[in-house]
Amino acid sequence: GDPSAARALYGKVLDQTPSFFPAAQNLVRLEARGGKAADGEAQMRARLERNPDALALRNGLTEALLAQGKLDPAEAAARQALKLDEKNVPAMVNLATVYARKQRFELAKMVLENARQIDGRDAAVWNRLGFVELALGDRPQALESFRTAAALRPDYPEAHANYGALLAAAEDFAAAAVELETAVKYAPQSAHAWLDLGNAYRGLKEFDKAEAAYRKSLQLDPKQADCQFNLAV
């Protein structure tokens, strides 16, 4: 809950070790959550001027560009990263994300399958694969991919949120609640995760908990029509 302190610490890590991807990724995502993805891009570009071959910074730049919807520059940045290391899994995930945003889902899946062959224990690969499989209409396989991502990284809120949402849609509300409770534990500012947790509690007929989750979701994002409707129900 202290973004400025987190920002400073991520910066110190990157000053000392520009190749440490989690710091670059988290710094960019921190800025994006605050509506300042352009600032994240500027920081990555400035650091790349000093360390042009730092893959972590190149991947951070790609994520900053993706957060702004700059798909063509993001694709170029991901390809530049892969020129430095053709087997770099974060760069492959970013490139697949670009392809998916461009609705080139089969190509995105091919890139992710290649990434999975390189590192089958990278949760981000499985999480992104789940989205692509959903887009391709393969819901059972998407459920399995999200499940794998969540199992590989207990502290990966996106994977737990995605897996939980699909479980809730399949009316496995008890399992969904477990996953979504984990998601909001690690990402307490995610309005969507709180919304889906409310849905899971509602399915379990735990209405007080459902109401509290919906109200938390609306506190984080008051413009959610779906959440207001579910709260009314």
Side-chain angles (χ1 to χ4, degrees), residues 2-12 27 30-31 36 43:
D2 191 346
S4 60
R7 185 180 297 108
L9 287 169
Y10 290 141
K12 286 183 179 179
L27 178 56
L30 179 66
E31 300 292 18
K36 298 180 179 179
Q43 292 177 54

Side-chain angles (χ1 to χ4, degrees), residues 85-190:
D85 179 5
E86 64 181 10
K87 293 185 177 181
N88 184 260
V89 171
M92 297 173 81
V93 171
N94 283 337
L95 182 59
T97 303
V98 172
Y99 287 148
R101 298 267 184 92
K102 291 184 174 182
Q103 298 189 349
R104 300 170 70 183
F105 299 116
E106 291 290 355
L107 191 55
K109 185 174 182 180
M110 182 188 74
V111 173
L112 290 167
E113 290 291 357
N114 289 339
R116 187 172 62 83
Q117 293 299 320
I118 294 169
D119 186 0
R121 296 192 60 78
D122 190 310
V125 173
W126 289 98
N127 189 59
R128 180 54 54 189
L129 193 56
F131 281 115
V132 171
E133 288 160 346
L134 271 180
L136 291 170
D138 192 347
R139 198 175 188 85
Q141 188 57 51
L143 185 69
E144 182 62 20
S145 292
F146 287 136
R147 184 198 66 78
T148 302
L152 286 169
R153 280 272 308 274
D155 62 343
Y156 189 9
E158 293 92 339
H160 290 283
N162 296 331
Y163 184 36
L166 282 190
L167 287 169
E171 299 187 358
D172 188 349
F173 299 116
V178 171
E179 295 298 324
L180 290 159
E181 285 169 353
T182 302
V184 299
K185 173 184 176 182
Y186 289 105
Q189 302 304 310
S190 173

Side-chain angles (χ1 to χ4, degrees), residues 184 188-199 209-228 230-231:
V184 299
Q189 302 304 310
S190 173
H192 289 296
W194 283 105
L195 168 60
D196 289 331
L197 180 57
N199 293 341
K209 286 186 176 182
E211 180 181 353
Y214 288 144
R215 292 196 183 281
K216 177 65 175 179
S217 182
L218 284 172
Q219 178 185 339
L220 293 166
D221 183 1
K223 297 180 180 179
Q224 294 181 95
D226 287 349
C227 192
Q228 292 178 358
N230 291 350
L231 181 58

Side-chain angles (χ1 to χ4, degrees), residues 48-61:
L48 278 166
E49 288 182 4
R50 301 191 295 271
N51 300 279
D53 293 333
L55 264 171
L57 300 176
R58 189 72 58 186
N59 287 327
L61 173 61

Side-chain angles (χ1 to χ4, degrees), residues 73-91:
E75 182 174 349
R79 291 186 180 280
Q80 287 173 344
L82 288 168
K83 283 183 180 179
L84 293 171
D85 179 5
E86 64 181 10
K87 293 185 177 181
N88 184 260
V89 171

